Amino acid sequence: MIRRILRLTLFVLADLCGLNAMWRRRNAHCIRVLMYHSVTARPQSAPCWTVLSAAYFEQHMAHLARHYDCLATREMISALSGDGNQIENGAFITFDDGLVNNAAEAEPILARHKLTACCFVCPGLSKRGEKIWADSLWEGIVDGTANQIDLTAINGGIVLIPLDKHERATVAGVVIERMKSISHEERQLWLDILRKQGALSSSHNSIFALMSLDGVKAMSERGTFEIGSHTMNHPILSSETVNEQVEEIEGCKQALESAGIASSPLFVYPNGRREDYTDDTIAIVRKAGFAGAFTSQDALFEKTADIYQIPRIAIGNDTNIWEFKAKMSGFYYALKRMLAGSLR
C-alpha cells in the first residue's frame, strides 16, 4: 500500500512539475503503441491485470486525444516502412484477443473521442465460442467453489485455493504463469485435468467472452476498430512446431478473409514475451506478408527498432491516469532505467 501511494505521489508531482511535457517533447519521434485487453464498467470479484475499468479508459483516451496524434493502420504501416518520419508524438491503440466488451464498452469511448484502434483477434476460438485458456482458468479458480486443484497425476502436486477472492486470484496467476512455461502437450494435459475438476470456467456471461466472427465483422464495418491477426487459437508459439505455427499464423489471416473481414497486415504474438516466440516465428510472420508484429515488451517504439518485435505500452488494471501520462511521455521509462527497475 505504501509503495503504491509513493508511486502515485511521484507521478502526480512529475506531471504538475512539467516533467511529462518535457519528456513528451523529447520523445516526439517515438510512437506510443498502447496494449489493452478488456475494458468494462462491470464490478469484478477480484482485480485481473488485463481488465481495465471503463472510467480509467475514458481518462486515458481523453489525455491521448488532447496530446497525441492517434494513427490509423495505414499510417502505422507508413511509419514502419520509414515513410512516417514526419509523425510526431504518434500513438497507435491496440486491443488483444477480441473480447465482447471491446465493442460494447471500449468502442463508444473511442468514438466519443474520435479515436480509432486495431483489435487483434483469434478466429479459431471465436468460431467455436471458446475463451482463451488462461482467462477461463483465472475465472474458474477465482469465481469457482473448489478449495484445491489436484495435479498429482502430472507431478504438479495439490494446489490449495483459499476462500478470499483476492488470494484466489493470486493462486490463479501463479498456476497460469507456470502453465505458460511448459510444453504445448503438457499444457493440454493440465487443462484436461483442470476441466474435469471444474477449474475452467465455461460461463458465456463473462468479461472474458470473445466476440463471434459475425461480431468482429460488424465491429470492423462500423469503422472505429480495424482488425488484425492474433493467431487462430492463441497458443504460446514457442511451444509449437514450425508447421503448427504456420497453421496458426497463416490460418488466422485466411480465416478472417474467408469470413469477409477486412484485416490489417499487422500481427500480435500471443502473450508476447521474447520467450513466447522464436526466430522461426518471426520468419513465418514475415513470409506470411505481415508488415510488422507487436510484442508485450513494455516500452516506447523507436522507429529504428525491429518492426517484427515492436514494443507496446502495457496497460493493466492498475494503470491510473497519472501513471498513464508518465508512460505516454516516456518519463516512466526514463525513471525506471535510472532506478534499475525498482518501480516494479
Side-chain angles (χ1 to χ4, degrees):
M1 176 63 74
I2 294 176
R3 187 185 182 90
R4 194 157 54 240
I5 292 172
L6 289 173
R7 281 169 59 94
L8 177 60
T9 302
L10 176 62
F11 292 132
V12 170
L13 289 174
D15 192 60
L16 295 177
C17 292
L19 286 174
N20 282 330
M22 182 189 78
W23 280 95
R24 185 166 60 246
R25 290 191 298 269
R26 182 169 180 171
N27 291 313
H29 63 288
C30 294
I31 295 178
R32 286 79 170 168
V33 183
L34 292 155
M35 179 181 73
Y36 290 96
H37 289 79
S38 177
V39 171
T40 183
R42 287 172 57 174
Q44 301 171 59
S45 56
C48 177
W49 188 85
T50 60
V51 182
L52 184 74
S53 75
Y56 272 12
F57 186 66
E58 178 83 52
Q59 293 173 346
H60 293 182
M61 296 303 101
H63 179 72
L64 191 156
R66 191 177 304 119
H67 294 287
Y68 296 90
D69 180 11
C70 185
L71 308 178
T73 294
R74 67 180 183 280
E75 296 168 311
M76 184 66 194
I77 292 171
S78 177
L80 297 181
S81 68
D83 296 330
N85 292 328
Q86 73 280 8
I87 296 171
E88 289 197 354
N89 286 316
F92 187 62
I93 307 169
T94 69
F95 277 76
D96 288 5
D97 307 335
L99 300 168
V100 168
N101 61 43
N102 295 173
E105 302 195 57
E107 186 179 345
I109 295 172
L110 287 165
R112 186 157 54 247
H113 293 283
K114 297 180 172 59
L115 299 173
T116 60
C118 191
C119 185
F120 294 85
V121 301
C122 301
L125 294 177
S126 291
K127 190 173 182 178
R128 297 193 301 275
E130 297 177 6
K131 296 193 287 285
I132 291 169
W133 68 264
D135 292 342
S136 291
L137 181 53
W138 191 94
E139 194 170 47
I141 291 177
V142 173
D143 294 328
T145 58
N147 58 14
Q148 67 178 36
I149 299 171
D150 186 356
L151 298 173
T152 52
I154 48 177
N155 300 317
I158 293 178
V159 179
L160 299 178
I161 305 176
L163 292 175
D164 180 79
K165 293 283 188 179
H166 287 69
E167 292 179 7
R168 292 175 80 92
T170 299
V171 171
V174 170
V175 174
I176 289 167
E177 285 305 310
R178 185 174 177 185
M179 290 178 64
K180 286 179 180 178
S181 64
I182 61 181
S183 70
H184 175 75
E185 292 74 18
E186 289 177 298
R187 190 179 306 113
Q188 293 308 307
L189 183 58
W190 281 48
L191 289 172
D192 288 341
I193 292 173
L194 291 168
R195 188 175 293 107
K196 291 174 183 176
Q197 296 181 36
L200 290 180
S201 168
S202 58
S203 169
H204 294 290
N205 182 29
S206 166
I207 57 173
F208 300 114
L210 297 178
M211 284 181 281
S212 67
L213 286 181
D214 286 343
V216 172
K217 184 177 181 180
M219 185 175 75
S220 171
E221 290 171 348
R222 289 192 295 272
T224 298
F225 271 104
E226 296 176 278
I227 305 301
S229 297
H230 197 31
T231 71
M232 285 291 286
N233 302 292
H234 204 276
I236 304 294
L237 288 167
S238 57
S239 68
E240 304 272 292
T241 67
V242 169
N243 287 339
E244 287 169 340
Q245 291 186 60
V246 170
E247 291 175 2
E248 286 286 343
I249 294 166
E250 293 186 357
C252 179
K253 195 175 183 182
Q254 292 164 3
L256 292 174
E257 291 172 358
S258 297
I261 299 169
S263 64
S264 157
L266 296 170
F267 181 83
V268 167
Y269 302 107
N271 214 45
R273 304 169 302 178
R274 187 59 185 92
E275 60 266 34
D276 297 323
Y277 61 93
T278 66
D279 290 344
D280 284 333
T281 314
I282 297 172
I284 294 166
V285 170
R286 189 191 301 267
K287 186 177 180 181
F290 290 102
F294 301 102
T295 70
S296 61
Q297 177 188 342
D298 189 11
L300 303 184
F301 172 51
E302 299 272 356
K303 295 174 191 175
T304 56
D306 183 352
I307 63 173
Y308 289 94
Q309 297 188 78
I310 300 170
R312 295 185 287 174
I313 296 175
I315 304 295
N317 71 311
D318 56 347
T319 309
N320 57 57
I321 186 58
W322 303 105
E323 184 168 320
F324 181 80
K325 289 180 178 182
K327 283 194 160 191
M328 290 292 287
S329 72
F331 170 68
Y332 172 96
Y333 301 106
L335 186 63
K336 187 175 180 180
R337 287 192 296 272
M338 284 190 290
L339 299 179
S342 63
L343 280 176
R344 284 293 182 192

